[in-house]
Amino acid sequence: MHTISPNSTKKAWAGAIPSLREATQTVSFPAERCANANVQPATEFPSTQLPIISGKIPDGLRGILYRNGPARLERGGLHMGHWFDGDGAILAVNFNDAGATGVYRYVQTSGYQEEAAAGKLLYGNYGMTAPGPIWNQWQKPLKNAANTSVLALPDKLLALWEGGKPHALDLQTLETWGEDDLGGLTKGLNYSAHYKRDEQTGEIFNFGISPGQKATLNIYKSDSTGRIIQQAAYQLDGIPLVHDFVLAGQYLVFFIPPVRLSILALLIGINNYSDSLEWQPRLGTQILVFDRETLSVVSRGETEPWFQWHFANGYVDATGSVIVDIARYEDFQTNQYLKEVATGETHTLAKSTLTRVHLHPQTGKVTSIQQLLNRHCEFPSVPQQNVGQASRYTYMSTFRLETDISQEVLNAIARFDHKTETLTEADFGENCYPSEPIHAQDTQNPEQSWVLTVVYDGNSHSSEVWIFDSDRLNAEPVCKLGLPSVIPHSFHGTWNPA
Ligand SMILES: [Fe+2]
């Protein structure tokens, strides 16, 4: 749990962090200081026609944008301890011939429903121990927050959270159907938020970490319907934090960062999961290369320490080298920064840069590490059709140049052109905060694509959907759509073409 200092001066982005209002009321902020913290848990809305604020929806933009993120960080006066703990809610924006409709719904996990019925928090999670006496923490399962990402399958939408199983939802109404095992997730197996889908084969690769004295890395291959058709298990050293991986040609590549869970403090219940994670740079970064056909280990290597949450993409170049692009941090301060986000006020510096790692797949040996761009980079991605292959462009979230990045949240999106080595940025102006950019291919013109982002405007305390021409990120968006209520900062989304 956290408390908010009465002397704080909130930035505009705090308006997009749910549940700060109750905290500010209890400490009697001066009115002018709480102007931007006036946020209750996010408000759901049913399917609603979205007003066009400017421009026109492109004729070739047909499909559904989905986004997932923490929408409630408080219940019954108690606040959750980390941004990662908020209950997930999903926004769907459906672009069709009649315009665009939006729907926003919480994922109805069993934990969410129990806590809603009780009117208070009952579970511990990543950044908080379970409320109440210490024995509450022993053996008590975590609440599945279902708040990290989404996977759109032909007949269902999955809400993903890396510490548990996915939840299946109706693709149109976002009604929650319940936990889904994809035909292969037996008890104790988790399914990460960062699957990789091969556009050519339709195969979906993913992993999950099962804790234990030593953690197990479970790797899954699904067909295009999501059904798990193959899986493998690999024992790791200790319990590391593994958030993402990459598909690179015929390989699946993991970089295991030198962060390890101190299990004792967690089990006794004196520390939550987040505070039990230790940065141990002497361990270096472990490289694990798997074969995508057999899911067996090809090689294992070790290199200098760094931390990454996210991979941009991977591929095999003409010489047979594996190339992997990541958003690289020099340490694990990012975890502290993200914890602070839940309070509406940050001060920890955590910079990551788009970095390219070359490695030899047969030996796991890293041959070079190259910073591609000396600007903050998060949520890097490539167009879906380039996943696992070379991509000319990498899309990312970043900060505007003049930003004090220890005190702000991501406030710009950009595209890096690997061919010309140039960055093109979209300008959202003061106090506006775009979500991770999502690339959408035009259905009529293969040369055309769009970039979608959900923007929180801290000036008007409202959210909008902005659509850019992907080749003109630095021009005015081609269309802006209004949303009925504020959509809090979200983590990850996807584009599901019609
Ligand atoms: Fe992520």
Side-chain angles (χ1 to χ4, degrees):
M1 312 300 149
H2 67 257
T3 54
I4 293 181
S5 157
N7 297 319
S8 62
T9 305
K10 295 271 182 289
K11 299 283 183 183
W13 58 262
I17 302 299
S19 305
L20 290 172
R21 175 172 165 166
E22 290 82 354
T24 59
Q25 284 175 335
T26 58
V27 293
S28 304
F29 270 24
E32 66 279 13
R33 287 191 183 156
C34 32
N36 293 320
N38 187 22
V39 188
Q40 292 184 318
T43 308
E44 296 176 297
F45 51 84
S47 183
T48 307
Q49 188 78 25
L50 302 183
I52 293 178
I53 295 168
S54 69
K56 174 179 174 293
I57 296 171
D59 292 338
L61 184 69
R62 293 293 180 269
I64 305 182
L65 168 72
Y66 295 102
R67 291 206 57 78
N68 191 355
R72 170 184 274 275
L73 282 158
E74 172 280 340
R75 201 182 280 282
L78 281 182
H79 290 256
M80 300 181 192
H82 199 288
W83 195 18
F84 291 176
D85 292 344
D87 294 307
I90 294 179
L91 171 70
V93 180
N94 188 341
F95 296 90
N96 50 54
D97 291 344
T101 56
V103 54
Y104 187 55
R105 301 278 300 270
Y106 282 93
V107 184
Q108 295 288 322
T109 67
S110 59
Y112 179 89
Q113 291 180 330
E114 278 178 61
E115 291 184 339
K120 60 182 182 182
L121 297 179
L122 302 172
Y123 288 88
N125 213 321
Y126 180 78
M128 57 184 284
T129 50
I134 196 165
W135 53 86
N136 265 15
Q137 284 121 46
W138 300 338
Q139 306 300 322
K140 180 142 184 157
L142 299 181
K143 180 176 63 177
N144 186 326
N147 67 3
T148 315
S149 190
V150 281
L151 170 57
L153 296 170
D155 61 348
K156 59 192 167 192
L157 181 74
L158 296 183
L160 304 176
W161 180 69
E162 69 191 29
K165 293 186 173 41
H167 281 75
L169 285 74
D170 185 290
L171 282 161
Q172 299 290 328
T173 66
L174 302 184
E175 178 195 349
T176 303
W177 295 338
E179 276 195 355
D180 194 300
D181 67 6
L182 296 172
L185 293 173
T186 51
K187 190 170 167 50
L189 294 189
N190 301 324
Y191 195 79
S192 143
H194 284 287
Y195 61 88
K196 297 292 178 285
R197 179 145 46 181
D198 184 320
E199 181 96 342
Q200 279 67 43
T201 67
E203 292 167 311
I204 301 164
F205 297 90
N206 202 356
F207 72 96
I209 301 288
S210 297
Q213 261 197 337
K214 286 188 170 184
T216 303
L217 172 66
N218 300 292
I219 302 176
Y220 314 110
K221 186 196 294 183
S222 292
D223 63 19
S224 60
T225 71
R227 188 175 63 90
I228 293 175
I229 53 175
Q230 197 178 347
Q231 55 182 290
Y234 181 85
Q235 192 161 75
L236 298 169
D237 296 329
I239 308 176
L241 178 61
V242 186
H243 182 70
D244 194 1
F245 76 118
V246 78
L247 172 67
Q250 65 265 43
Y251 305 109
L252 310 175
V253 181
F254 291 80
F255 294 163
I256 311 293
V259 170
R260 295 290 181 276
L261 186 73
S262 169
I263 193 78
L264 192 64
L266 183 72
L267 286 179
I268 297 170
I270 54 175
N271 253 355
N272 59 55
Y273 188 89
S274 173
D275 293 338
S276 303
L277 290 168
E278 294 175 353
W279 174 244
Q280 299 179 358
R282 62 182 172 77
L283 297 177
T285 303
Q286 290 178 1
I287 312 290
L288 292 174
V289 181
F290 294 86
D291 182 298
R292 66 178 273 172
E293 294 303 325
T294 63
L295 305 186
S296 58
V297 183
V298 176
S299 65
R300 178 181 173 140
E302 198 178 304
T303 187
E304 65 191 52
W306 72 74
F307 181 78
Q308 84 278 314
W309 294 108
H310 297 121
F311 291 72
N313 191 35
Y315 65 97
V316 178
D317 74 5
T319 71
S321 259
V322 166
I323 313 294
V324 179
D325 291 348
I326 58 171
R328 168 175 164 147
Y329 295 87
E330 295 310 312
D331 56 33
F332 193 47
Q333 285 294 96
T334 172
N335 194 48
Q336 174 61 27
Y337 167 84
L338 292 169
K339 179 179 178 178
E340 291 162 8
V341 169
T343 71
E345 195 174 352
T346 58
H347 53 79
T348 296
L349 179 67
K351 183 179 177 182
S352 83
T353 55
L354 184 64
T355 300
R356 173 159 288 189
V357 178
H358 296 245
L359 63 95
H360 189 270
Q362 298 304 326
T363 62
K365 186 171 168 40
V366 169
T367 52
S368 78
I369 300 172
Q370 173 193 6
Q371 187 182 83
L372 296 179
L373 187 66
N374 186 21
R375 288 284 299 276
H376 187 90
C377 166
E378 252 306 352
F379 302 129
S381 66
V382 299
Q384 171 56 42
Q385 67 265 28
N386 299 139
V387 169
Q389 305 173 24
S391 176
R392 176 170 173 179
Y393 302 114
T394 298
Y395 293 88
M396 67 186 77
S397 294
T398 184
F399 286 102
R400 304 168 75 194
L401 264 179
E402 67 277 18
T403 303
D404 176 351
I405 73 169
S406 67
Q407 298 199 14
E408 282 283 354
V409 299
L410 298 161
N411 58 9
I413 59 171
R415 182 177 85 168
F416 184 68
D417 183 339
H418 292 266
K419 190 172 172 186
T420 62
E421 298 186 346
T422 53
L423 190 75
T424 307
E425 297 170 68
D427 186 0
F428 295 83
E430 284 288 323
N431 301 327
C432 286
Y433 301 90
S435 68
E436 163 204 61
I438 298 281
H439 180 268
Q441 193 63 43
D442 192 274
T443 55
Q444 299 171 358
N445 178 2
E447 303 298 313
Q448 176 70 59
S449 63
W450 311 99
V451 172
L452 307 175
T453 181
V454 176
V455 182
Y456 170 69
D457 184 340
N459 303 306
S460 58
H461 189 51
S462 61
S463 293
E464 297 173 359
V465 178
W466 289 23
I467 304 162
F468 290 90
D469 182 328
S470 65
D471 286 325
R472 294 180 185 80
L473 270 187
N474 53 355
E476 273 293 297
V478 297
C479 186
K480 294 182 186 177
L481 299 162
L483 287 164
S485 67
V486 167
I487 307 297
H489 287 306
S490 51
F491 290 144
H492 298 292
T494 194
W495 170 250
N496 192 24

